[in-house]
């Protein structure tokens, strides 16, 4: 996909994660003057974990409320702190998990609301959601990898 096509998606607020690679989208966002962040949702198994991933990615303060209203407020605050705007790439949102199917739609709706907020406040907000299927079933006798990503000893 051409850089012009990606920039058009950025201007509209939603980047198709199936048509564009993560790096292409991040590069185009940087060229457009947008602060770009990757929200790593790979280990998230519920809405709370996805929201923590967003907070970690955008370096939002610890007093984040942990619900969809707080997500909206946090994204809007972060957006207004940027000179031009903000781009988020949601990496591996496991919307195939039963616990995340509806939550993924709700998070997308919040992002759509932030796109509108940005348009009304002379900022650009855009996002891409890289959907992943369900998490694999846990292996018997094997502890899951901690959210920190490092193995515990």
């Amino acid at each position: 996909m051409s850089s012009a096509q990606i920039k058009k998606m950025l201007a509209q607020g939603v980047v198709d994660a199936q048509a564009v690679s993560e790096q292409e989208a991040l590069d185009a966002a940087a060229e457009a003057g947008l602060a770009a962040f990757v929200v790593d949702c790979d280990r998230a198994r519920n809405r709370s974990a996805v929201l923590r991933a967003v907070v970690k990615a955008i370096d939002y303060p610890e007093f984040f409320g942990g619900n969809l209203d707080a997500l909206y407020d946090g994204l809007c605050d972060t957006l207004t702190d940027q000179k031009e705007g903000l781009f988020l790439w949601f990496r591996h949102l496991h919307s195939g998990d039963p616990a995340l199917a509806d939550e993924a739609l709700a998070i997308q709706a919040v992002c759509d609301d932030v796109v509108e907020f940005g348009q009304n406040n002379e900022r650009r907000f855009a996002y891409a959601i890289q959907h992943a299927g369900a998490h694999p079933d846990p292996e018997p006798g094997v502890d899951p990898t901690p959210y920190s990503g490092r193995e515990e000893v």
Side-chain angles (χ1 to χ4, degrees):
M1 179 168 281
S2 75
S3 179
Q5 291 170 313
I6 298 170
K7 286 181 182 179
K8 183 177 179 182
M9 285 190 270
L10 285 169
Q12 294 171 344
V14 181
V15 174
D16 182 357
Q18 292 181 336
V20 179
S21 75
E22 178 179 322
Q23 194 58 54
E24 288 174 321
L26 294 172
D27 290 346
E31 287 177 25
L34 304 178
F37 300 96
V38 175
V39 180
D40 189 357
C41 302
D42 198 33
R43 292 186 186 100
R45 293 183 177 268
N46 56 42
R47 176 177 59 184
S48 177
V50 173
L51 297 182
R52 285 192 308 270
V54 172
V55 168
K56 182 178 177 182
I58 64 174
D59 196 26
Y60 200 70
E62 290 183 32
F63 57 85
F64 180 78
N67 58 36
L68 294 175
D69 289 335
L71 174 64
Y72 176 80
D73 292 341
L75 291 177
C76 290
D77 287 349
T78 303
L79 178 61
T80 56
D81 288 344
Q82 306 305 315
K83 184 176 180 180
E84 295 291 326
L86 176 65
F87 173 69
L88 292 182
W89 179 278
F90 288 83
R91 180 189 296 152
H92 298 147
L93 180 59
H94 288 272
S95 51
D97 280 353
L100 281 174
D102 291 336
E103 300 300 341
L105 294 174
I107 290 166
Q108 184 172 345
V110 169
C111 289
D112 290 339
D113 290 344
V114 178
V115 169
E116 184 177 334
F117 172 86
Q119 292 167 346
N120 293 333
N121 289 279
E122 299 178 5
R123 297 285 191 284
R124 289 185 295 157
F125 177 75
Y127 69 96
I129 299 177
Q130 181 184 32
H131 292 281
H135 280 96
D137 290 331
E139 295 180 43
V142 177
D143 290 333
T145 303
Y147 281 107
S148 64
R150 62 179 188 264
E151 294 295 326
E152 302 211 1
V153 281

